[in-house]
């Protein structure tokens, strides 16, 4: 039944065709929420951390959730897409909700929307919207202490943006993606991402190119949102042992730096005693934004970063003679980061057996990406074979693979 509510690719196509006013899309989401029995004010009880960005938002959310869970807090985590099971998108204490819980909440919401439908909207929201609504219901009923919510696409008009009062917001690295919906320049994309800022709610971002950073700054000023630039991880490591990250790759350091600020800010806002001592910091207006204060990461923060797992992102799996290097990179800059990680990891683990090594690329890309551009970046990896997987989920004689 869930799959009849449309795939992501189908939804994107539909949005492109309709090109309707995105604001009405957001209002439709609020209507669905009301029909499901909740008001937007109810979401304030979830103590939400709302995160957007082009690259690294999922990893940032995973780091943040692990850090706060290491304080003994009960966490909710909504992310997308899933890798194997749709249940991965809605997590309690880091674990996908059980098939029983998923089924219970799915039918409860489905029947509720069926019963309350009126002439003003279709009875069922599309796939992603339905799951977003369902996540809010699950988190409220399971009484989580906080919910980490990852934006689906963009920010301003994303259906997660019915959240009115998050505790803190974050923007990870920006890049070019979903141009048909968000715009074809980093500045236009930054404008969309800055749409999650809320009046008086602190927000943090990592170092971005000058143009998009200025857009984020202006957007924050318009909304009266205090926006800070995260200092690099090195600044938080000063005077203590280096931080160990559970996710590999140099680019994860900026995601971890953002996660530390989000978790630290959340703990402070909730008057939690374990927020860690602030170090004296000069407010630097480097790159037009005040620098977030540095602090000494606590034992729980270190533990959370070290224990973070996020499958399919710079993940190494060893199965007898085979080693799999898995990553979901799908923009030029994220593929470049993936290539750097792959080559460094290979250097670090040069096979001790001395046996022959064969490098096979297993590649898949959805139709709206420039596969040729992404493949070109993978050439330095010197693969012996390449295997290409089409996006066919059923046998069809008409479509060419």
């Amino acid at each position: 039944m869930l799959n009849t509510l449309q795939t992501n690719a189908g939804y994107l196509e539909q949005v492109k065709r309709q090109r309707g006013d995105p604001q009405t899309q957001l209002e439709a989401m609020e209507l669905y929420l009301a029909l499901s029995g909740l008001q937007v004010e109810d979401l304030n009880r979830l103590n939400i951390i709302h995160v957007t960005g082009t690259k690294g938002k999922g990893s940032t959310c995973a780091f943040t959730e692990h850090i706060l869970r290491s304080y003994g807090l009960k966490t909710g985590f909504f992310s997308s897409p899933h890798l194997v099971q749709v249940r991965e998108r809605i997590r309690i204490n880091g674990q996908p909700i059980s098939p029983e819980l998923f089924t219970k909440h799915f039918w409860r919401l489905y029947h509720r929307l069926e019963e309350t439908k009126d002439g003003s909207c279709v009875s069922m929201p599309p796939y992603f919207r339905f799951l977003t609504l369902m996540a809010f219901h699950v988190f409220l009923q399971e009484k989580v202490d906080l919910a980490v919510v990852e934006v689906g696409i963009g920010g301003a008009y994303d259906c997660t943006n019915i959240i009115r009062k998050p505790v803190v917001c974050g923007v990870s690295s920006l890049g070019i993606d979903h141009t048909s919906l968000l715009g074809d320049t980093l500045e236009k994309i930054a404008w969309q991402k800055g749409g999650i800022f809320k009046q008086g709610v602190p927000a943090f971002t990592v170092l971005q190119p000058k143009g998009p950073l200025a857009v984020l700054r202006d957007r924050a000023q318009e909304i009266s949102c205090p926006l800070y630039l995260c200092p690099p991880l090195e600044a938080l490591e000063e005077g203590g042992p280096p931080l160990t990250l559970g996710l590999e790759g140099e680019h994860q350091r900026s995601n971890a730096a953002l996660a530390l600020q989000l978790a630290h800010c959340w703990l402070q806002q909730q008057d939690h005693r374990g927020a860690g001592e602030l170090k004296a910091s000069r407010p630097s207006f480097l790159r037009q934004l005040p620098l977030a204060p540095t602090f000494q990461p606590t034992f729980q923060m270190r533990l959370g970063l070290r224990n973070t797992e996020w499958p399919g992102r710079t993940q190494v799996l060893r199965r007898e003679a085979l080693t799999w290097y898995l990553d979901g990179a799908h923009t030029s800059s994220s593929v470049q980061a993936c290539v750097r990680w792959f080559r460094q990891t290979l250097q670090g683990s040069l096979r001790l057996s001395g046996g022959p090594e064969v490098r096979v690329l297993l590649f898949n890309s959805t139709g709206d990406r420039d596969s040729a551009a992404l493949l070109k970046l993978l050439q330095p990896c010197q693969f012996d074979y390449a295997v290409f997987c089409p996006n066919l989920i059923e046998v069809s004689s008409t479509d060419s693979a």
Side-chain angles (χ1 to χ4, degrees):
M1 285 307 290
L2 175 65
N3 289 344
T4 63
L5 299 179
Q6 208 173 38
T7 66
N8 186 41
Y11 172 64
L12 292 178
E13 271 310 306
Q14 184 197 337
V15 173
K16 278 182 228 171
R17 278 200 309 275
Q18 289 173 339
R19 268 286 184 248
D21 173 18
Q23 188 57 40
T24 52
Q25 305 274 340
L26 207 54
E27 285 160 14
M29 184 65 184
E30 287 185 23
L31 179 62
Y32 282 128
L33 186 73
L35 293 176
S36 79
L38 290 176
Q39 297 303 317
V40 280
E41 293 72 34
D42 293 326
L43 305 183
N44 302 346
R45 304 204 304 270
L46 290 175
N47 301 318
I48 288 169
I49 297 172
H50 201 192
V51 182
T52 188
T54 310
K55 308 185 299 287
K57 61 180 183 289
S59 302
T60 299
C61 288
F63 278 132
T64 308
E65 187 274 334
H66 271 81
I67 290 169
L68 292 169
R69 189 164 17 117
S70 67
Y71 279 89
L73 293 160
K74 184 174 184 178
T75 62
F77 180 11
F78 177 63
S79 71
S80 61
H82 60 272
L83 288 185
V84 182
Q85 288 280 352
V86 67
R87 296 181 291 105
E88 296 165 28
R89 294 177 183 231
I90 304 174
R91 295 169 184 256
I92 304 282
N93 287 333
Q95 292 304 308
I97 60 174
S98 68
E100 294 74 24
L101 198 61
F102 187 94
T103 309
K104 181 181 94 170
H105 282 286
F106 174 86
W107 286 117
R108 187 179 283 174
L109 178 60
Y110 195 92
H111 293 318
R112 175 88 202 204
L113 291 173
E114 281 277 78
E115 287 157 17
T116 53
K117 69 177 169 193
D118 56 17
S120 60
C121 69
V122 221
S123 66
M124 284 304 146
Y127 189 93
F128 182 75
R129 284 191 200 184
F130 187 95
L131 289 171
T132 306
L133 290 169
M134 191 168 138
F136 291 145
H137 279 273
V138 171
F139 296 154
L140 281 165
Q141 295 206 0
E142 294 298 311
K143 296 187 167 52
V144 296
D145 295 316
L146 68 125
V148 179
V149 176
E150 180 189 348
V151 164
I153 292 175
Y157 305 117
D158 184 70
C159 65
T160 62
N161 207 27
I162 56 171
I163 295 164
R164 287 278 176 277
K165 286 191 177 164
V167 175
V168 59
C169 294
V171 183
S172 66
S173 288
L174 297 178
I176 300 284
D177 199 16
H178 296 300
T179 50
S180 57
L181 294 179
L182 306 180
D184 52 4
T185 67
L186 278 178
E187 285 73 15
K188 287 177 187 169
I189 288 170
W191 188 90
Q192 293 278 356
K193 307 286 182 187
I196 71 163
F197 296 156
K198 301 291 182 290
Q199 186 177 353
V201 173
F204 296 86
T205 187
V206 297
L207 196 55
Q208 313 277 9
K210 203 171 174 184
L213 198 62
V215 172
L216 288 177
R217 179 203 62 201
D218 296 347
R219 201 88 160 96
Q221 283 172 353
E222 280 163 30
I223 299 171
S224 302
C225 152
L227 176 64
Y228 301 94
L229 190 62
C230 294
L233 215 49
E234 296 77 53
L236 275 66
E237 289 175 319
E238 275 174 25
L243 293 157
T244 310
L245 305 185
L247 304 181
E248 292 188 18
E250 196 56 33
H251 56 288
Q252 293 293 1
R253 288 180 64 81
S254 115
N255 298 330
L258 176 55
L260 281 168
Q261 293 292 346
L262 294 173
H264 179 263
C265 180
W266 189 93
L267 291 163
Q268 276 192 317
Q269 298 275 346
Q270 304 300 95
D271 289 332
H272 198 284
R273 283 201 293 276
E277 285 305 302
L278 286 178
K279 296 190 221 166
S281 110
R282 315 171 297 289
S284 139
F285 287 83
L286 163 80
R287 297 264 186 152
Q288 322 136 321
L289 273 186
L291 210 55
T294 54
F295 53 90
Q296 202 78 56
T298 62
F299 168 75
Q300 291 95 325
M301 289 173 183
R302 290 176 173 276
L303 189 68
L305 290 176
R306 190 169 67 235
N307 291 342
T308 298
E309 293 173 339
W310 196 225
R313 284 75 169 179
T314 58
Q315 184 185 11
V316 182
L317 281 178
R318 294 192 168 82
R319 296 286 183 271
E320 295 174 5
L322 275 180
T323 307
W324 301 84
Y325 297 85
L326 306 176
D327 196 58
H330 54 268
T331 68
S332 294
S333 43
S334 56
V335 171
Q336 282 166 334
C338 174
V339 167
R340 283 194 296 274
W341 159 72
F342 176 64
R343 298 178 79 183
Q344 278 168 354
T345 314
L346 277 188
Q347 275 175 346
S349 65
L350 276 172
R351 292 201 21 196
L352 304 170
S353 67
E357 184 182 81
V358 179
R359 293 187 191 184
V360 182
L361 170 68
L362 191 62
F363 184 87
N364 168 267
S365 168
T366 52
D368 55 343
R369 315 235 179 258
D370 184 348
S371 307
L374 300 181
L375 282 165
K376 197 169 187 173
L377 299 168
L378 292 164
Q379 277 181 319
C381 300
Q382 297 173 324
F383 292 105
D384 300 295
Y385 297 94
V387 180
F388 298 99
C389 314
N391 284 314
L392 295 180
I393 49 170
E394 53 200 36
V395 178
S396 157
S397 55
T398 51
D399 289 317
S400 156

